[in-house]
């Protein structure tokens, strides 16, 4: 597979970004920070990445705020600090932790999703799963999809299948149909897998080729079993 080419800005572009950043333009500061993070047209320098990123984030540039959160969560260019990661995350979401948690506990699906994202960033797997479950229990489509995926990767294919079938009843998404097929396949229900893979093929979208491969695999297994 051909490797994706790295974008290299021209010296004119870099010069303009630096001038704009020095004059306080938050977007230019963020752009410059990303250049120093990845070495786009400049030498990689984490200290300069953090310098420009912080200036941008302090002005409220949303991408910079989120990146500051990740940097503290992962220890990129700064010492890993969960409390500071949480600070930048909540700043971006415009909530205090107390208000966010209270709303989530009281059944606010949006806030439950935000709590799940926060736990995910902080690598709190149990916390993330808790909030996804809370949201899924209220019928949130995205949460049910995520929960099914979590069960699938934990090896609980029956529960993954049960949840994905709930979504399949209310969705015409080939992604859902394909995941239904995978879950049926993992539980040993070959005919069920064939049914769902065929539905993906009939949709004829971007998932059709991978579904055809899976369908052929299932049909061969069915012949072998017969």
């Amino acid at each position: 597979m051909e490797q994706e080419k790295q974008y290299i800005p021209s010296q004119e572009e870099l010069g303009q970004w630096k001038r704009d950043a020095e004059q306080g333009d938050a977007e230019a500061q963020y752009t410059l920070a990303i250049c120093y993070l990845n070495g786009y047209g400049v030498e990689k320098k984490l200290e300069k990445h953090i310098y420009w990123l912080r200036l941008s984030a302090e002005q409220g540039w949303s991408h910079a705020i989120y990146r500051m959160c990740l940097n503290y969560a992962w220890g990129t260019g700064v010492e890993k600090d969960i409390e500071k990661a949480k600070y930048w995350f909540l700043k971006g979401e415009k909530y205090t932790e107390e208000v966010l948690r209270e709303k989530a506990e009281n059944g606010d699906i949006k806030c439950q999703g935000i709590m799940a994202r926060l736990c995910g960033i902080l690598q709190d797997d149990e916390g993330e799963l808790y909030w996804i479950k809370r949201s899924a229990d209220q019928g949130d489509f995205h949460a049910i999809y995520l929960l099914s995926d979590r069960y699938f990767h934990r090896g609980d294919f029956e529960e993954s299948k049960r949840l994905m079938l709930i979504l399949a009843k209310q969705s015409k998404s080939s992604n859902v149909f394909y995941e239904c097929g995978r879950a049926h396949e993992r539980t040993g229900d070959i005919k069920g897998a064939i049914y769902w893979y065929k539905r993906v093929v009939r949709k004829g979208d971007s998932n059709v080729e991978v579904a055809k491969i899976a369908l052929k695999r299932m049909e061969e297994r069915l012949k072998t079993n017969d």
Side-chain angles (χ1 to χ4, degrees):
M1 182 181 293
E2 185 177 348
Q3 193 172 25
E4 186 177 345
K5 292 182 179 179
Q6 177 179 300
Y7 173 68
I8 302 177
S10 67
Q11 288 305 306
E12 289 76 15
E13 286 178 303
L14 278 170
Q16 187 61 58
W17 291 337
K18 287 179 180 179
R19 287 190 293 273
D20 290 344
E22 287 166 355
Q23 291 173 15
D25 185 290
E27 182 177 6
Q29 289 168 345
Y30 173 74
T31 302
L32 202 54
I34 296 304
C35 287
Y36 280 114
L37 173 66
N38 296 300
Y40 295 156
V42 294
E43 184 182 349
K44 287 185 182 182
K45 290 186 177 180
L46 286 179
E47 63 275 14
K48 288 192 175 183
H49 163 67
I50 293 296
Y51 173 78
W52 289 113
L53 189 69
R54 189 182 299 277
L55 288 178
S56 179
E58 287 173 348
Q59 292 195 77
W61 191 256
S62 60
H63 296 305
I65 290 171
Y66 185 65
R67 184 72 233 185
M68 283 293 289
C69 166
L70 295 182
N71 282 358
Y72 276 112
W74 299 340
T76 303
V78 292
E79 186 176 347
K80 185 173 181 177
D81 189 319
I82 296 303
E83 288 305 314
K84 287 182 179 178
K86 197 182 295 184
Y87 165 81
W88 285 107
F89 180 89
L90 294 169
K91 182 179 176 67
E93 295 295 338
K94 297 179 172 60
Y95 283 105
T96 65
E97 184 175 5
E98 293 75 16
V99 169
L100 178 62
R101 187 175 295 276
E102 181 180 1
K103 284 180 174 290
E105 289 287 7
N106 287 334
D108 187 310
I109 289 178
K110 177 185 175 183
C111 289
Q112 289 170 348
I114 294 172
M115 284 297 298
R117 282 175 49 219
L118 175 59
C119 290
I121 289 169
L122 301 181
Q123 299 178 330
D124 176 2
D125 293 339
E126 292 306 314
E128 182 184 28
L129 186 60
Y130 170 79
W131 290 112
I132 292 173
K133 281 182 176 179
R134 286 289 303 272
S135 189
D137 287 344
Q138 295 188 79
D140 182 73
F141 185 97
H142 183 61
I144 295 172
Y145 190 96
L146 287 177
L147 189 56
S148 175
D149 181 70
R150 295 296 190 281
Y151 279 121
F152 187 93
H153 286 97
R154 288 186 172 200
D156 190 343
F157 304 119
E158 287 292 349
E159 186 62 11
S160 176
K161 181 173 71 173
R162 184 187 72 80
L163 291 167
M164 203 56 69
L165 283 170
I166 292 173
L167 298 184
K169 291 178 181 178
Q170 55 181 289
S171 171
K172 295 181 180 179
S173 165
S174 70
N175 288 333
V176 171
F177 294 166
Y178 181 73
E179 292 303 327
C180 270
R182 285 213 307 160
H184 279 77
E185 180 177 349
R186 287 303 188 95
T187 59
D189 184 350
I190 298 174
K191 290 183 178 179
I194 288 173
Y195 170 79
W196 289 107
Y197 288 143
K198 280 185 175 180
R199 291 198 65 175
V200 178
V201 172
R202 286 199 295 270
K203 292 285 289 185
D205 60 15
S206 60
N207 291 317
V208 67
E209 293 304 321
V210 68
K212 284 181 177 178
I213 294 170
L215 182 58
K216 183 178 179 181
R217 183 173 65 247
M218 290 298 94
E219 288 174 339
E220 289 175 350
R221 281 182 60 182
L222 189 61
K223 289 178 182 178
T224 302
N225 290 349
D226 289 344

